[in-house]
Amino acid sequence: MAAAPPPAGDTRDTGHTDCVLDLGGLDALVQVLRSRGRTVVGPTVRDDAIVLAELESAAELPYGWGVELDGGHYRLVWRTDRAAFAHSAGPQSWKNHLLPQRVRQWSADRGPDGELRVLPERHEPGRYAFLGVRPCDLRAIAIQDRVLLGGRHRDDAYTARRTGAFLIAVECTEPGETCFCVSMDAGPAAGPGYDIALTEVLDEAGHRFLARAGTPEGADVLAGLPRRAADPATRRTAAGAVESAAARMGRTMPATDLRTLLADSLDAARWNDVAARCLTCGNCTMACPTCFCTTTEDVTDLTGDHAERWSRWDSCYDLDFSALHGGPVRESGRSRYRQWLTHKLGTWHDQFDSSGCVGCGRCIVWCPVGIDLTEEAHALHQEARAKDRPA
């Protein structure tokens, strides 16, 4: 297990001194990264949501915007300040850039002489700089790294995009109504894995960002920016804002061993209740920053002389996902929801030595019928406790 992350404003274990950036320094950060040939991606307002898109300057950040969240509900709200990162996770995660929904694997052509030529796809190394990576999403990237970079089944397309990515984490000071990263030990302070970590501070002393480097490259980038030494007041305010956020989570998981709870609840009556509401649409798996399942599809042109194989996102809610000879293994909505939740919170540990959930709350917000996995976990816990009580 990784060591516990230092509190906001603490530079222990980074080997570098923290500093303060003003709004001009934040824009300079974007420009320096672009000048180094990186595609800067960060949050911006588009189509009534805060989405992740390429940024040409820090002016495109969602200054003054927050979000109102609930099960099956998302709405932008205007804030009384000009905070740039006072919003929680939006509909997209960094998975959309590191593991795109559709990626070509190889192509094949048949020449006039009938000879078949197969060309493996060359996945060019990415030059991304991700600005505004929330601590929960930082953990999600580390989880996907464990799945897609290691072991016998490395994903070459993911590896190419991920290896060169520069991560700028932003610690959370405004948790959303559906956030529960504290329950999953994934925030609101930034854990390991960032190149630079920022904590936004906005008070009577001004609008600024406490910055610290987590890698030599991060330190080199910070050294080229207009900045000033971090003062004790900014450090205290930043640390206090993150600590306050930890105490204001909108959701919680039950205080129990979730892995054991799910393993012992396979026949729980609660699964019937959630199955009556679940549409098995797979929205939760698409919004989830750690779900990684893909399938393959082959396509040809009209002549039949050119063919391509593509990988694309798949979902355990799809009937074909578990299809074997004779039909799908998990035919009912009950079995498919149970598979998703028990894998996410339980058997993920058996495969990858961690939970598959980071507490971002996206699956709650983007479920069309507002199913809340924290509510389901609490219900399963209550049902298990009721069974254990003496008659």
Side-chain angles (χ1 to χ4, degrees):
M1 296 294 290
D10 189 331
T11 59
R12 290 174 298 175
D13 300 326
T14 66
H16 307 294
T17 304
D18 54 0
C19 62
V20 173
L21 307 177
D22 60 14
L23 292 176
L26 184 64
D27 190 58
L29 173 61
V30 174
Q31 300 310 321
V32 165
L33 291 169
R34 285 170 54 85
S35 70
R36 294 186 176 201
R38 292 190 177 276
T39 300
V40 180
V41 178
T44 191
V45 174
R46 184 178 298 169
D47 299 327
D48 295 322
I50 295 177
V51 300
L52 301 176
E54 183 176 350
L55 304 179
E56 294 186 0
S57 77
E60 297 174 79
L61 292 168
Y63 289 103
W65 286 105
V67 292
E68 177 186 282
L69 307 174
D70 204 347
H73 175 83
Y74 178 98
R75 178 178 296 170
L76 286 182
V77 293
W78 185 249
R79 296 172 55 86
T80 58
D81 57 28
R82 290 284 294 166
F85 299 104
H87 57 271
S88 51
Q92 301 163 314
S93 72
W94 306 99
K95 177 177 78 172
N96 293 66
H97 294 276
L98 294 174
L99 184 67
Q101 296 182 29
R102 198 164 178 264
V103 177
R104 188 167 60 186
Q105 300 297 312
W106 51 257
S107 59
D109 290 288
R110 183 165 51 204
D113 57 357
E115 183 179 353
L116 190 65
R117 182 174 178 232
V118 179
L119 298 174
E121 190 73 9
R122 292 187 59 186
H123 302 291
E124 298 296 332
R127 291 285 294 169
Y128 282 119
F130 294 152
L131 171 60
V133 181
R134 296 299 185 177
C136 58
D137 279 341
L138 192 65
R139 175 67 63 83
I141 291 172
I143 288 173
Q144 287 224 317
D145 286 351
R146 173 68 178 82
V147 176
L148 300 171
L149 291 182
R152 295 180 299 154
H153 306 292
R154 188 182 71 178
D155 186 297
D156 291 337
Y158 179 90
T159 300
R161 290 177 172 84
R162 174 67 182 96
T163 301
F166 187 92
L167 305 184
I168 306 162
V170 174
E171 296 186 305
C172 284
T173 57
E174 294 285 346
E177 296 90 333
T178 55
C179 293
F180 57 100
C181 64
V182 169
S183 292
M184 308 314 296
D185 192 28
Y194 60 81
D195 292 283
I196 295 174
L198 304 176
T199 311
E200 187 170 23
V201 177
L202 206 164
D203 57 17
E204 62 278 1
H207 193 171
R208 58 206 187 277
F209 303 86
L210 183 68
R212 65 183 187 270
T215 63
E217 185 178 6
D220 183 60
V221 170
L222 284 179
L225 303 178
R227 68 199 190 285
R228 62 179 172 83
D231 56 282
T234 298
R235 288 195 184 103
R236 284 195 302 270
T237 303
V242 175
E243 290 169 7
S244 174
R248 293 183 288 115
M249 291 287 115
R251 297 289 199 275
T252 65
M253 279 289 187
T256 188
D257 183 342
L258 295 175
R259 182 182 183 184
T260 301
L261 172 65
L262 271 295
D264 293 343
S265 300
L266 297 181
D267 296 319
R270 181 67 183 189
W271 300 118
N272 296 324
D273 178 89
V274 70
R277 293 174 283 133
C278 180
L279 304 178
T280 66
C281 64
N283 259 23
C284 52
T285 59
M286 289 187 286
C288 178
T290 65
C291 279
F292 59 86
C293 288
T294 58
T295 187
T296 57
E297 60 181 9
D298 295 334
V299 296
T300 62
D301 65 2
L302 293 177
T303 68
D305 292 329
H306 179 79
E308 296 176 350
R309 171 161 290 180
W310 292 74
S311 69
R312 60 172 176 81
W313 289 359
D314 201 0
S315 172
C316 52
Y317 286 95
D318 191 333
L319 272 174
D320 288 340
F321 185 85
S322 66
L324 298 175
H325 179 69
V329 173
R330 290 183 286 273
E331 192 169 7
S332 68
R334 178 185 188 275
S335 64
R336 281 176 273 162
Y337 185 88
R338 185 181 66 180
Q339 157 64 23
W340 177 73
L341 192 63
T342 55
H343 185 217
K344 187 66 58 179
L345 300 179
T347 54
W348 202 293
H349 287 275
D350 301 323
Q351 289 180 284
F352 307 115
D353 302 318
S354 75
S355 173
C357 177
V358 297
C360 69
R362 287 186 179 93
C363 60
I364 304 171
V365 173
W366 300 102
C367 174
V369 294
I371 293 174
D372 183 338
L373 83 166
T374 66
E375 178 185 345
E376 300 310 313
H378 278 288
L380 290 169
H381 186 222
Q382 292 170 4
E383 184 174 337
R385 291 179 65 187
K387 287 172 59 178
D388 291 339
R389 292 192 194 106

Coordinates of all heavy atoms in Angstrom, one line a residue, residues 250-326:
G250 N -20.5 14.6 1.0 CA -22.0 14.4 0.9 C -22.5 13.0 1.1 O -23.7 12.8 1.3
R251 N -21.6 12.0 1.0 CA -21.9 10.6 1.1 C -20.9 9.9 1.9 O -19.7 10.4 2.1 CB -22.1 9.9 -0.2 CG -23.1 10.4 -1.2 CD -24.5 10.1 -0.7 NE -25.5 10.2 -1.8 CZ -26.2 11.3 -2.1 NH1 -25.9 12.4 -1.5 NH2 -27.1 11.3 -3.1
T252 N -21.2 8.7 2.5 CA -20.3 7.9 3.2 C -20.5 6.4 2.8 O -21.6 6.1 2.3 CB -20.4 8.0 4.7 OG1 -21.7 7.5 5.1 CG2 -20.2 9.4 5.2
M253 N -19.5 5.6 3.0 CA -19.6 4.2 2.9 C -19.8 3.7 4.4 O -19.3 4.3 5.3 CB -18.4 3.5 2.3 CG -18.5 3.6 0.7 SD -19.7 2.5 0.1 CE -19.4 2.6 -1.7
P254 N -20.4 2.5 4.6 CA -20.5 2.0 5.9 C -19.1 1.7 6.5 O -18.2 1.2 5.8 CB -21.4 0.7 5.8 CG -21.3 0.4 4.3 CD -21.1 1.7 3.6
A255 N -19.0 1.9 7.8 CA -17.7 1.6 8.4 C -17.5 0.1 8.7 O -17.7 -0.3 9.8 CB -17.6 2.4 9.7
T256 N -17.2 -0.6 7.7 CA -17.0 -2.0 7.8 C -16.1 -2.5 6.6 O -15.8 -1.7 5.7 CB -18.4 -2.8 7.7 OG1 -18.2 -4.1 7.9 CG2 -19.0 -2.6 6.3
D257 N -15.7 -3.7 6.7 CA -14.9 -4.2 5.6 C -15.7 -4.5 4.4 O -16.5 -5.5 4.4 CB -14.2 -5.5 6.1 CG -13.2 -6.1 5.1 OD1 -13.3 -5.8 3.9 OD2 -12.4 -6.9 5.4
L258 N -15.7 -3.7 3.4 CA -16.6 -3.8 2.3 C -16.3 -5.1 1.5 O -17.3 -5.7 0.9 CB -16.5 -2.6 1.3 CG -16.9 -1.2 1.9 CD1 -16.6 -0.1 0.9 CD2 -18.4 -1.2 2.3
R259 N -15.1 -5.5 1.4 CA -14.8 -6.7 0.7 C -15.5 -7.9 1.3 O -16.1 -8.7 0.6 CB -13.2 -6.9 0.7 CG -12.7 -8.1 0.0 CD -11.2 -8.1 0.2 NE -10.6 -9.2 -0.5 CZ -9.3 -9.5 -0.4 NH1 -8.5 -8.7 0.3 NH2 -8.8 -10.5 -1.1
T260 N -15.4 -8.0 2.6 CA -16.1 -9.1 3.3 C -17.6 -9.0 3.2 O -18.3 -9.9 3.0 CB -15.7 -9.1 4.8 OG1 -14.3 -9.3 4.9 CG2 -16.4 -10.3 5.5
L261 N -18.1 -7.7 3.4 CA -19.6 -7.5 3.3 C -20.1 -8.0 2.0 O -21.1 -8.7 1.9 CB -19.8 -6.0 3.5 CG -21.3 -5.5 3.2 CD1 -22.2 -6.2 4.2 CD2 -21.4 -4.0 3.2
L262 N -19.5 -7.6 0.9 CA -20.0 -8.0 -0.4 C -19.9 -9.5 -0.6 O -20.8 -10.1 -1.2 CB -19.2 -7.2 -1.5 CG -19.8 -5.9 -2.0 CD1 -21.2 -6.0 -2.6 CD2 -19.9 -4.9 -0.8
A263 N -18.8 -10.1 -0.2 CA -18.6 -11.5 -0.3 C -19.7 -12.3 0.4 O -20.1 -13.4 0.0 CB -17.2 -12.0 0.1
D264 N -20.1 -11.8 1.6 CA -21.1 -12.4 2.4 C -22.6 -12.1 2.1 O -23.5 -12.5 2.7 CB -20.9 -12.1 3.9 CG -19.6 -12.7 4.4 OD1 -19.0 -13.6 3.7 OD2 -19.1 -12.3 5.4
S265 N -22.8 -11.2 1.0 CA -24.1 -10.7 0.7 C -24.6 -11.1 -0.6 O -25.5 -10.5 -1.2 CB -24.1 -9.2 0.8 OG -23.8 -8.7 2.1
L266 N -24.1 -12.2 -1.2 CA -24.4 -12.6 -2.6 C -25.9 -13.0 -2.7 O -26.5 -12.9 -3.8 CB -23.6 -13.8 -3.0 CG -22.1 -13.5 -3.1 CD1 -21.3 -14.7 -3.6 CD2 -21.8 -12.2 -4.0
D267 N -26.5 -13.4 -1.6 CA -27.9 -13.8 -1.6 C -28.8 -12.9 -0.9 O -30.0 -13.2 -0.5 CB -28.1 -15.2 -1.0 CG -27.4 -16.3 -1.8 OD1 -27.4 -16.2 -3.0 OD2 -26.7 -17.2 -1.2
A268 N -28.3 -11.6 -0.7 CA -29.1 -10.6 0.1 C -30.4 -10.3 -0.7 O -30.4 -10.2 -1.9 CB -28.3 -9.4 0.3
A269 N -31.4 -10.0 0.1 CA -32.7 -9.6 -0.5 C -32.6 -8.2 -1.2 O -33.4 -7.9 -2.1 CB -33.8 -9.6 0.5
R270 N -31.6 -7.4 -0.7 CA -31.5 -6.0 -1.3 C -31.3 -6.0 -2.8 O -31.6 -5.1 -3.5 CB -30.4 -5.3 -0.5 CG -30.2 -3.9 -1.0 CD -31.3 -3.0 -0.6 NE -31.1 -1.6 -1.1 CZ -31.9 -0.6 -0.8 NH1 -32.9 -0.8 0.0 NH2 -31.7 0.6 -1.3
W271 N -30.6 -7.1 -3.3 CA -30.4 -7.1 -4.7 C -31.7 -7.1 -5.5 O -31.7 -6.5 -6.7 CB -29.6 -8.3 -5.1 CG -28.2 -8.5 -4.4 CD1 -27.8 -9.4 -3.6 CD2 -27.1 -7.6 -4.6 NE1 -26.5 -9.2 -3.2 CE2 -26.1 -8.1 -3.8 CE3 -26.9 -6.4 -5.3 CZ2 -24.8 -7.5 -3.7 CZ3 -25.7 -5.8 -5.2 CH2 -24.7 -6.3 -4.4
N272 N -32.7 -7.6 -5.0 CA -34.0 -7.6 -5.7 C -34.6 -6.2 -5.8 O -35.2 -5.8 -6.8 CB -35.0 -8.5 -5.0 CG -34.6 -9.9 -5.1 OD1 -34.1 -10.4 -6.0 ND2 -34.9 -10.7 -4.0
D273 N -34.4 -5.4 -4.7 CA -34.8 -4.0 -4.7 C -34.1 -3.2 -5.7 O -34.7 -2.4 -6.5 CB -34.6 -3.4 -3.3 CG -35.0 -2.0 -3.2 OD1 -36.2 -1.7 -2.9 OD2 -34.2 -1.1 -3.4
V274 N -32.8 -3.3 -5.8 CA -32.1 -2.4 -6.7 C -32.3 -2.9 -8.2 O -32.3 -2.1 -9.1 CB -30.5 -2.4 -6.4 CG1 -29.9 -3.8 -6.7 CG2 -29.8 -1.3 -7.2
A275 N -32.5 -4.2 -8.3 CA -32.8 -4.7 -9.7 C -34.1 -4.2 -10.2 O -34.2 -4.0 -11.5 CB -32.8 -6.3 -9.7
A276 N -35.1 -3.9 -9.4 CA -36.3 -3.4 -9.8 C -36.2 -2.0 -10.3 O -37.1 -1.5 -11.1 CB -37.3 -3.4 -8.6
R277 N -35.1 -1.3 -9.9 CA -34.9 0.1 -10.4 C -33.9 0.2 -11.5 O -33.9 1.1 -12.3 CB -34.5 1.0 -9.2 CG -35.5 1.1 -8.1 CD -35.0 1.9 -6.9 NE -34.2 1.0 -6.0 CZ -33.0 1.3 -5.5 NH1 -32.5 2.5 -5.8 NH2 -32.4 0.4 -4.8
C278 N -32.9 -0.7 -11.5 CA -31.8 -0.6 -12.5 C -32.2 -0.8 -13.9 O -32.9 -1.8 -14.2 CB -30.7 -1.6 -12.1 SG -29.2 -1.6 -13.2
L279 N -31.8 0.1 -14.8 CA -32.1 -0.1 -16.2 C -31.1 -0.9 -17.0 O -31.2 -1.1 -18.2 CB -32.2 1.3 -16.9 CG -33.2 2.3 -16.2 CD1 -33.1 3.7 -17.0 CD2 -34.6 1.8 -16.3
T280 N -30.0 -1.3 -16.3 CA -28.9 -2.0 -16.9 C -28.4 -1.3 -18.1 O -28.0 -1.9 -19.1 CB -29.2 -3.5 -17.3 OG1 -30.2 -3.5 -18.3 CG2 -29.7 -4.2 -16.0
C281 N -28.3 0.1 -18.1 CA -27.9 0.9 -19.2 C -26.4 1.0 -19.3 O -25.9 1.3 -20.4 CB -28.5 2.3 -19.1 SG -28.0 3.2 -17.7
G282 N -25.7 0.8 -18.2 CA -24.2 0.9 -18.3 C -23.7 2.3 -18.1 O -22.5 2.5 -18.2
N283 N -24.5 3.3 -17.8 CA -24.0 4.6 -17.6 C -23.0 4.7 -16.5 O -22.0 5.4 -16.6 CB -25.2 5.6 -17.2 CG -25.7 6.4 -18.4 OD1 -25.5 6.0 -19.6 ND2 -26.3 7.5 -18.2
C284 N -23.2 3.9 -15.4 CA -22.3 4.0 -14.3 C -20.9 3.5 -14.7 O -19.9 4.0 -14.3 CB -22.8 3.2 -13.1 SG -23.3 1.5 -13.5
T285 N -20.8 2.5 -15.6 CA -19.5 2.0 -16.0 C -18.8 3.0 -17.0 O -17.6 3.1 -17.0 CB -19.6 0.6 -16.7 OG1 -20.5 0.7 -17.8 CG2 -20.2 -0.4 -15.8
M286 N -19.6 3.7 -17.8 CA -19.0 4.7 -18.7 C -18.5 5.9 -17.9 O -17.5 6.5 -18.2 CB -20.0 5.1 -19.7 CG -20.4 4.1 -20.8 SD -21.4 4.6 -22.1 CE -23.0 4.7 -21.2
A287 N -19.2 6.3 -16.9 CA -18.8 7.5 -16.1 C -17.7 7.2 -15.1 O -16.9 8.0 -14.7 CB -20.0 8.1 -15.3
C288 N -17.6 5.9 -14.7 CA -16.6 5.5 -13.7 C -15.2 5.7 -14.2 O -14.9 5.3 -15.3 CB -16.8 4.0 -13.3 SG -15.6 3.4 -12.1
P289 N -14.3 6.3 -13.4 CA -13.0 6.6 -13.8 C -12.1 5.3 -13.8 O -10.9 5.4 -14.2 CB -12.5 7.6 -12.8 CG -13.2 7.4 -11.6 CD -14.6 6.9 -12.0
T290 N -12.5 4.2 -13.2 CA -11.7 3.0 -13.1 C -12.2 1.9 -14.0 O -11.4 1.0 -14.3 CB -11.6 2.6 -11.7 OG1 -12.8 2.1 -11.2 CG2 -11.0 3.6 -10.8
C291 N -13.4 1.9 -14.4 CA -13.9 0.7 -15.2 C -13.1 0.7 -16.5 O -12.9 1.7 -17.2 CB -15.4 0.9 -15.5 SG -16.5 0.4 -14.2
F292 N -12.6 -0.5 -16.8 CA -11.7 -0.6 -17.9 C -12.0 -1.6 -19.0 O -11.3 -1.8 -19.9 CB -10.3 -1.0 -17.3 CG -10.3 -2.3 -16.6 CD1 -10.2 -3.5 -17.3 CD2 -10.5 -2.4 -15.2 CE1 -10.2 -4.7 -16.6 CE2 -10.6 -3.6 -14.5 CZ -10.4 -4.8 -15.2
C293 N -13.2 -2.3 -18.8 CA -13.5 -3.4 -19.7 C -13.7 -2.9 -21.2 O -14.3 -1.9 -21.4 CB -14.7 -4.1 -19.3 SG -14.5 -5.1 -17.8
T294 N -13.1 -3.7 -22.1 CA -13.3 -3.4 -23.5 C -13.6 -4.7 -24.2 O -13.4 -5.8 -23.7 CB -12.0 -2.8 -24.1 OG1 -10.9 -3.8 -23.9 CG2 -11.6 -1.5 -23.5
T295 N -14.1 -4.5 -25.4 CA -14.3 -5.7 -26.3 C -13.7 -5.3 -27.7 O -13.2 -4.2 -27.8 CB -15.8 -6.0 -26.5 OG1 -16.0 -7.2 -27.3 CG2 -16.6 -4.8 -27.2
T296 N -13.8 -6.1 -28.6 CA -13.2 -5.8 -30.0 C -14.3 -6.0 -31.0 O -15.3 -6.7 -30.9 CB -12.1 -6.8 -30.3 OG1 -12.5 -8.1 -30.3 CG2 -10.9 -6.6 -29.4
E297 N -14.2 -5.2 -32.1 CA -15.1 -5.3 -33.2 C -14.3 -5.2 -34.5 O -13.3 -4.5 -34.6 CB -16.1 -4.2 -33.2 CG -15.6 -2.8 -33.2 CD -16.7 -1.7 -33.2 OE1 -17.9 -2.1 -32.9 OE2 -16.4 -0.6 -33.4
D298 N -14.6 -6.0 -35.5 CA -13.9 -6.0 -36.8 C -14.8 -5.4 -37.8 O -16.1 -5.7 -37.8 CB -13.6 -7.4 -37.2 CG -12.6 -8.1 -36.3 OD1 -11.8 -7.4 -35.6 OD2 -12.6 -9.3 -36.1
V299 N -14.3 -4.5 -38.6 CA -15.0 -3.9 -39.7 C -14.3 -4.0 -41.0 O -13.1 -4.1 -41.0 CB -15.2 -2.4 -39.4 CG1 -16.1 -2.2 -38.1 CG2 -13.9 -1.6 -39.2
T300 N -15.1 -4.0 -42.1 CA -14.5 -4.1 -43.4 C -15.1 -3.0 -44.3 O -16.2 -2.5 -44.0 CB -14.7 -5.5 -44.1 OG1 -16.1 -5.7 -44.2 CG2 -14.1 -6.6 -43.2
D301 N -14.4 -2.7 -45.4 CA -15.0 -1.8 -46.4 C -15.9 -2.6 -47.3 O -16.0 -3.9 -47.2 CB -13.9 -1.0 -47.1 CG -13.1 -1.9 -48.0 OD1 -13.3 -3.1 -48.1 OD2 -12.1 -1.4 -48.6
L302 N -16.5 -1.9 -48.3 CA -17.5 -2.6 -49.1 C -16.9 -3.6 -50.1 O -17.5 -4.6 -50.5 CB -18.3 -1.6 -49.9 CG -19.2 -0.7 -49.1 CD1 -19.9 0.4 -50.0 CD2 -20.3 -1.5 -48.4
T303 N -15.6 -3.4 -50.4 CA -14.9 -4.3 -51.3 C -14.5 -5.6 -50.6 O -14.2 -6.6 -51.3 CB -13.7 -3.7 -51.9 OG1 -12.7 -3.5 -50.9 CG2 -14.0 -2.3 -52.5
G304 N -14.3 -5.6 -49.3 CA -13.8 -6.7 -48.6 C -12.3 -6.8 -48.6 O -11.8 -7.8 -48.1
D305 N -11.7 -5.8 -49.2 CA -10.2 -5.9 -49.3 C -9.5 -5.1 -48.2 O -8.3 -5.2 -48.1 CB -9.7 -5.3 -50.6 CG -10.1 -6.1 -51.8 OD1 -10.2 -7.4 -51.6 OD2 -10.4 -5.6 -52.9
H306 N -10.2 -4.4 -47.4 CA -9.7 -3.7 -46.2 C -10.4 -4.0 -45.0 O -11.7 -4.0 -45.0 CB -9.7 -2.2 -46.5 CG -9.1 -1.4 -45.3 ND1 -7.7 -1.3 -45.1 CD2 -9.7 -0.7 -44.3 CE1 -7.5 -0.5 -44.0 NE2 -8.7 -0.2 -43.5
A307 N -9.7 -4.4 -43.9 CA -10.4 -4.7 -42.6 C -9.6 -4.0 -41.5 O -8.4 -3.7 -41.6 CB -10.4 -6.2 -42.4
E308 N -10.3 -3.7 -40.4 CA -9.7 -3.1 -39.2 C -10.3 -3.8 -38.0 O -11.5 -4.2 -38.0 CB -10.0 -1.6 -39.2 CG -9.4 -0.9 -40.3 CD -9.8 0.6 -40.3 OE1 -10.7 1.0 -39.5 OE2 -9.2 1.4 -41.1
R309 N -9.5 -3.9 -37.0 CA -9.9 -4.3 -35.6 C -9.8 -3.1 -34.7 O -8.8 -2.5 -34.6 CB -9.2 -5.5 -35.1 CG -9.5 -5.8 -33.6 CD -9.1 -7.2 -33.3 NE -9.9 -8.2 -33.9 CZ -9.8 -9.5 -33.8 NH1 -8.8 -10.0 -33.0 NH2 -10.5 -10.4 -34.4
W310 N -10.9 -2.9 -34.0 CA -11.0 -1.8 -33.0 C -11.3 -2.3 -31.6 O -12.1 -3.3 -31.5 CB -12.1 -0.8 -33.4 CG -11.8 0.0 -34.7 CD1 -11.8 -0.5 -35.9 CD2 -11.4 1.4 -34.7 NE1 -11.4 0.5 -36.8 CE2 -11.2 1.7 -36.1 CE3 -11.2 2.4 -33.8 CZ2 -10.8 2.9 -36.5 CZ3 -10.8 3.6 -34.2 CH2 -10.6 3.9 -35.6
S311 N -10.7 -1.8 -30.6 CA -11.2 -2.0 -29.3 C -12.2 -0.9 -28.9 O -12.0 0.2 -29.3 CB -10.1 -2.1 -28.3 OG -9.5 -0.9 -28.1
R312 N -13.2 -1.2 -28.1 CA -14.1 -0.2 -27.6 C -14.6 -0.6 -26.2 O -14.5 -1.7 -25.8 CB -15.3 -0.1 -28.6 CG -16.1 -1.3 -28.8 CD -17.4 -1.0 -29.6 NE -18.2 -2.2 -29.8 CZ -19.0 -2.8 -28.9 NH1 -19.2 -2.3 -27.7 NH2 -19.7 -3.9 -29.3
W313 N -15.0 0.5 -25.5 CA -15.5 0.2 -24.2 C -16.6 -0.8 -24.2 O -17.5 -0.8 -25.1 CB -16.0 1.5 -23.6 CG -15.0 2.5 -23.2 CD1 -13.7 2.4 -23.3 CD2 -15.3 3.8 -22.6 NE1 -13.0 3.6 -22.9 CE2 -14.0 4.4 -22.5 CE3 -16.4 4.5 -22.3 CZ2 -13.9 5.7 -21.9 CZ3 -16.3 5.8 -21.7 CH2 -15.0 6.4 -21.6
D314 N -16.6 -1.6 -23.1 CA -17.7 -2.6 -22.9 C -18.2 -2.4 -21.5 O -17.6 -1.7 -20.7 CB -17.2 -4.0 -23.2 CG -18.4 -5.0 -23.5 OD1 -19.5 -4.5 -23.5 OD2 -18.1 -6.1 -23.7
S315 N -19.3 -3.0 -21.2 CA -19.9 -2.9 -19.8 C -20.4 -4.3 -19.4 O -21.0 -5.0 -20.2 CB -21.0 -1.9 -19.8 OG -21.7 -1.9 -18.6
C316 N -20.2 -4.5 -18.1 CA -20.7 -5.8 -17.5 C -22.2 -5.8 -17.4 O -22.8 -6.8 -17.1 CB -20.1 -6.1 -16.2 SG -20.2 -4.7 -15.0
Y317 N -22.9 -4.7 -17.8 CA -24.3 -4.6 -17.9 C -24.9 -5.1 -19.2 O -26.0 -5.4 -19.4 CB -24.9 -3.2 -17.6 CG -24.8 -2.8 -16.2 CD1 -23.7 -2.1 -15.7 CD2 -25.8 -3.1 -15.3 CE1 -23.6 -1.7 -14.4 CE2 -25.7 -2.7 -13.9 CZ -24.6 -2.0 -13.5 OH -24.5 -1.7 -12.2
D318 N -24.0 -5.3 -20.2 CA -24.3 -5.7 -21.5 C -24.6 -7.2 -21.5 O -23.7 -8.0 -20.9 CB -23.2 -5.4 -22.5 CG -23.6 -5.6 -23.9 OD1 -24.5 -6.4 -24.2 OD2 -23.1 -4.9 -24.8
L319 N -25.7 -7.7 -22.0 CA -25.9 -9.1 -22.0 C -24.8 -9.9 -22.7 O -24.5 -11.0 -22.3 CB -27.3 -9.4 -22.7 CG -28.5 -9.4 -21.8 CD1 -29.8 -9.5 -22.7 CD2 -28.5 -10.5 -20.8
D320 N -24.3 -9.4 -23.8 CA -23.2 -10.1 -24.5 C -21.9 -10.2 -23.7 O -21.0 -10.9 -24.1 CB -23.0 -9.4 -25.8 CG -24.1 -9.6 -26.8 OD1 -24.9 -10.5 -26.6 OD2 -24.2 -8.8 -27.8
F321 N -21.8 -9.3 -22.7 CA -20.5 -9.3 -21.9 C -20.2 -10.7 -21.3 O -19.0 -11.1 -21.3 CB -20.6 -8.3 -20.8 CG -19.3 -8.1 -20.0 CD1 -18.4 -7.2 -20.5 CD2 -19.1 -8.8 -18.8 CE1 -17.2 -7.0 -19.8 CE2 -17.9 -8.6 -18.1 CZ -17.0 -7.7 -18.6
S322 N -21.2 -11.4 -20.9 CA -21.0 -12.7 -20.3 C -21.5 -13.8 -21.1 O -21.7 -15.0 -20.7 CB -21.6 -12.8 -18.9 OG -23.0 -12.7 -19.0
A323 N -21.7 -13.6 -22.4 CA -22.3 -14.6 -23.3 C -21.3 -15.7 -23.6 O -20.1 -15.5 -23.9 CB -22.7 -13.9 -24.6
L324 N -21.7 -16.9 -23.3 CA -21.0 -18.1 -23.7 C -21.9 -19.0 -24.6 O -23.0 -18.6 -24.9 CB -20.6 -18.9 -22.4 CG -19.7 -18.2 -21.5 CD1 -19.5 -19.0 -20.2 CD2 -18.3 -17.9 -22.1
H325 N -21.5 -20.1 -25.0 CA -22.3 -21.0 -25.8 C -23.6 -21.3 -25.0 O -23.6 -21.8 -23.9 CB -21.6 -22.3 -26.1 CG -22.4 -23.2 -26.9 ND1 -22.7 -23.0 -28.2 CD2 -23.0 -24.4 -26.6 CE1 -23.5 -24.0 -28.7 NE2 -23.6 -24.9 -27.8
G326 N -24.7 -20.9 -25.6 CA -26.0 -21.2 -25.0 C -26.6 -20.0 -24.4 O -27.8 -20.0 -24.0

